[in-house]
Amino acid sequence: MSFKKVPGTRDILPEEVIFWQRIEDTARKVFNAYNFREIRTPIIENVLVFNRSLGEFAEIVQKQMFLIKNKEDTYCLRPEGTAAIVRAYLENNFDKTNPFQKFYYLGPMFRLERPQKGRLRQFHHIGAEIIGSDSPAVDVEIISLADSLLRKNGVTGYELQINTLGCAKDKKALVKLLEKELSGKSKGLCEDCQVRLKTNILRILDCKNEPCKKIVSGLNLGDKHLCEECLAHFSKVKDGLEDLKIEYTVAPHLVRGLDYYTRTVFEFKHSELGAQDAVGAGGRYDNLVHEMGGPQTGAMGFALGVERLLLATNVQSQKIDGQNLVYIIALGEQAKPEAVKILDNLRKAGVAADTDYENKSLKGAMRQANDLAAKLVLILGDNELAKKTIMLKDMQSGTQEEIPLDNLIEKVKARC
Ligand code: HAM
C-alpha cells in the first residue's frame, strides 16, 4: 500500500523551501519597515467566524470549506485570514484598549477547490490588515505595502487594478442597478451566473466565462450608484497612489468575491499565471468589525498568494547562495572522536558543519562534501592528530594546507 498526499496540497521539499524562506524573510523586513506587527491566529476556527462575514452565498462558504464536526460545534480549516483576525482583534479587546492596529500574518489557508495551476486546496498567504481607520491614507499604505512586497520579491510585469464598491448603501444601489441592467439578459449568462442573479449578483461582474464577460462589458454602470463621500474617498486614494508613483488601472467591474468588502478593492494581476491571474488582492471592510460584534470602525487589508508569487517570479531558475558549510572527514580510529568534538565546537560557534556518518572512503566522503556544496573540508587522520594538525581544503580554489589544531575554530570561522 502506498500513500499519496491530498489532492491540491504540496510537499515543499528542501530545495524549494529556501525560496520560501527568502520570501518570508523579505516579507518580514518589509512589514517591519512599514511598522506592522505579526499576529498568529489558529488554523481552526468556528465555522461561524467565516459564514456570516464572507457571506452566505460566497463561493468559499457555499462549497469550499473544510469542515470539522464535533459534538458541540462545527470548526473549519480557515479559508482566509481577515475574518479570523477581526475575531482575534475583538476577542483580545483591542477595540477597547488600542483600537488602531497594524497586523501582518503568514501561513496556510484551506479551500476545497478543484485543483489546477495556481489553485490549491492548501495554499499560503502573506497578508496584512489595518483595523481602526477609514482614512484613504490607510488604503494607500496597504496598496503600497503589497506593491513593495511584490517588488522586493522580484515580481515584475504585474498590473494593479482598483475599484470602489462604495459603502453598504452604494452596494445596495449597485445591486439594484445590476438587477435592472441584467433583466432580460439572463439566458445569455452561464449557469453559475443564472444562480448568482438571485444570490450574489455582484459576482456576475467578474465572472471569467466568455458569454458573461461579453454581457458585462456591454453594461454601462457609471458611478451614479456611488455617494459623494465614497467618490471623494476613492479620489483621495487615487491621488495618494499617484503621489507614490504606483501605477494602477481603474477596473469598474472588479468586485471581489467576499461580502465584507466596501469602498476600495484591488487586485494585482499577473499575465504569467493563466486563468488564476491574481497574485494578491484585498480591500476595505468598513462594516466587518461591527458585524462581528465590535464598534463601527474602518479596516483594510490584503493577502498575497505565496504559490502564485513563486509562479510569477519563476524563482526556481534563480540561484541562491548556499550557506558556508564546513565538512569534516575523519580517517582512523583515534581521529574519529576528535573529529566529532571539532564538529560540535564548530556548530556551537555558529558555523554550519557536517560530517560523514557511514565510514565512507576519503574519495566517497569528498564526493559527499562536493554534493553538499561545502566551502571548506577538514580532513583529520591519525597522523595529523599525532602532529596536532589538520588538513584544510578550500573547495572553491582547490588549495589544501596543513594547519595546527590550535585555535582551529577561530581560523575556520575567519574563512566562512
Ligand atoms: P483572496 O483573493 O481570496 O483574498 O486571496 C488572496 C490571494 O490568495 C489571491 O489573490 C491568490 O493569490 C491567493 N489564493 C486564493 N485562493 C487560492 C488557491 N486556492 N490557491 C492558491 N492561491 C490562492 C482573501 O483571502 C482576503 N482575505 C484578502 C484580504 C485581506 N482582504 C482584506 N484583507
Side-chain angles (χ1 to χ4, degrees), residues 84-102:
I85 286 168
V86 172
R87 195 260 319 128
Y89 173 88
L90 292 173
E91 194 170 347
N92 293 287
N93 295 317
F94 282 106
D95 57 321
K96 299 187 186 83
T97 54
N98 211 348
F100 183 77
Q101 289 295 326
K102 294 166 54 162

Side-chain angles (χ1 to χ4, degrees), residues 268-367:
F268 287 96
K269 307 258 192 195
H270 200 290
S271 54
E272 288 286 295
L273 296 178
Q276 305 302 319
D277 62 353
V279 63
R284 270 206 166 271
Y285 45 95
D286 290 340
N287 298 320
L288 185 58
V289 176
H290 183 56
E291 279 164 15
M292 290 184 75
Q296 185 65 45
T297 188
M300 164 106 182
F302 74 91
L304 303 180
V306 181
E307 287 80 0
R308 293 196 195 168
L309 198 151
L310 282 160
L311 284 172
T313 42
N314 191 17
V315 82
Q316 269 83 342
S317 64
Q318 295 172 16
K319 197 180 164 312
I320 284 202
D321 294 334
Q323 56 180 349
N324 290 334
L325 184 75
V326 176
Y327 193 83
I328 180 156
I329 302 171
L331 302 168
E333 285 316 304
Q334 278 148 17
K336 271 188 191 131
E338 275 315 304
V340 172
K341 281 188 222 159
I342 294 171
L343 180 67
D344 189 46
N345 285 332
L346 282 169
R347 288 169 170 172
K348 282 183 178 145
V351 177
D354 210 345
T355 191
D356 156 47
Y357 300 96
E358 295 161 82
N359 274 325
K360 286 195 170 73
S361 64
L362 177 60
K363 206 169 148 201
M366 283 303 291
R367 195 176 307 129

Side-chain angles (χ1 to χ4, degrees), residues 80 82 111 113 118 120 125 129 256 260-261 278-279 301-302 305:
E80 62 109 48
T82 311
R111 295 182 194 172
E113 307 213 54
L120 292 142
H125 269 172
E129 313 290 343
R256 312 271 304 123
Y260 56 57
Y261 287 116
V279 63
F302 74 91

Side-chain angles (χ1 to χ4, degrees), residues 82-147:
T82 311
I85 286 168
V86 172
R87 195 260 319 128
Y89 173 88
L90 292 173
E91 194 170 347
N92 293 287
N93 295 317
F94 282 106
D95 57 321
K96 299 187 186 83
T97 54
N98 211 348
F100 183 77
Q101 289 295 326
K102 294 166 54 162
F103 297 122
Y104 79 86
Y105 52 99
L106 310 156
M109 305 290 159
F110 304 85
R111 295 182 194 172
L112 193 51
E113 307 213 54
R114 196 166 42 79
Q116 64 179 81
K117 182 185 166 196
R119 189 160 77 184
L120 292 142
R121 289 179 171 176
Q122 176 176 335
F123 59 97
H124 296 76
H125 269 172
I126 293 180
E129 313 290 343
I130 297 184
I131 305 181
S133 166
D134 54 16
S135 162
V138 161
D139 306 43
V140 176
E141 169 145 323
I142 281 286
I143 294 174
S144 127
L145 169 60
D147 182 65

Side-chain angles (χ1 to χ4, degrees), residues 24-79:
E24 288 158 6
D25 289 350
T26 306
R28 285 181 201 284
K29 281 194 192 119
V30 175
F31 285 131
N32 281 338
Y34 280 75
N35 195 31
F36 279 64
R37 297 187 304 154
E38 184 173 1
I39 184 165
R40 300 185 188 192
T41 60
I43 281 168
I44 50 173
E45 290 279 351
N46 192 307
V47 72
L48 299 177
V49 168
F50 301 102
N51 278 0
R52 290 267 311 279
S53 50
L54 309 193
E56 174 188 4
F57 295 110
E59 239 147 277
I60 299 183
V61 170
Q62 290 235 310
K63 35 187 185 191
Q64 297 177 349
M65 292 291 226
F66 278 97
L67 298 176
I68 307 164
K69 293 199 164 80
N70 61 34
K71 276 193 204 121
E72 301 108 49
D73 290 306
T74 303
Y75 300 156
C76 69
L77 297 181
R78 62 180 185 195

